[in-house]
């Protein structure tokens, strides 16, 4: 690869990363507030992240400069926010729970978008989806399997698993049973 091609490739990667970072951090008031809080704790002036322009080099220069100047604050904000959230049993469990549900739904969605779909097939597919979801919801083995897979994933990634709390029986159910 020639030097100009390497420079162009690196500029594209930097631009893409800067754009993703801008969209991620500025797109959420909570994440932006975390960045501002960290900036105040560290005692630095937070330079506003900029979006990229495809045609204006000055905008690109400002966007890269903002990321460069805020780099340590951005890393800390990502660690406190996103990485902390990803490294939780709650997130991993939700991931394992939602994956099979969404995979089932997406299959039905694609079928329903077919141009040659007839009403009978559509009704059959939707009813099948409903039955699958009810089956997932009511099968205790299914839940245990998801819980076990989540625990395994946590162990593989050194994520703390909180102790399982016993649920208290509902008082309303007890009162209904007595009457």
């Amino acid at each position: 690869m020639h030097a100009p091609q390497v420079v162009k490739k690196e500029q594209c990667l930097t631009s893409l990363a800067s754009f993703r970072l801008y969209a991620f951090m500025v797109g959420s008031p909570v994440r932006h507030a975390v960045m501002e809080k960290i900036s105040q704790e560290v005692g630095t002036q937070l330079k506003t992240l900029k979006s990229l322009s495809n045609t204006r080099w000055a905008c690109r220069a400002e966007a890269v400069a903002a990321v460069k100047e805020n780099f340590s604050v951005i890393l800390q904000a990502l660690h406190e926010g996103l990485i902390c959230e990803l490294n939780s049993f709650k997130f991993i469990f939700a991931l394992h729970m939602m994956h099979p549900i969404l995979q089932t739904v997406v299959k039905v969605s694609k079928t329903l978008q077919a141009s040659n779909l007839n009403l009978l097939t559509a009704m059959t597919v939707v009813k099948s989806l409903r039955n699958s979801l009810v089956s997932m919801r009511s099968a205790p083995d299914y839940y245990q399997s998801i819980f076990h897979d989540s625990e395994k994933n946590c162990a593989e990634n050194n994520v703390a698993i909180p102790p399982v709390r016993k649920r208290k029986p509902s008082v309303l159910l007890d009162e209904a049973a007595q009457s």
Side-chain angles (χ1 to χ4, degrees), residues 8 13 19 22 24 27 31 33 42 44 53 55 58 71 93-94 101 120 133 136 139 143-144 155 162 170:
K8 190 171 185 176
L13 292 174
F19 175 73
Y22 169 80
F24 182 76
R31 287 187 289 264
V42 176
T44 61
S53 169
T55 57
F71 192 71
F93 180 77
I101 293 169
L120 182 61
L133 293 175
M136 286 178 190
Y143 176 80
Q144 288 299 324
S170 173

Side-chain angles (χ1 to χ4, degrees), residues 2-21:
H2 297 290
Q5 290 173 326
V6 172
V7 170
K8 190 171 185 176
K9 181 179 177 185
E10 293 303 317
Q11 287 172 341
C12 289
L13 292 174
T14 303
S15 297
L16 180 62
S18 295
F19 175 73
R20 285 182 178 167
L21 188 62

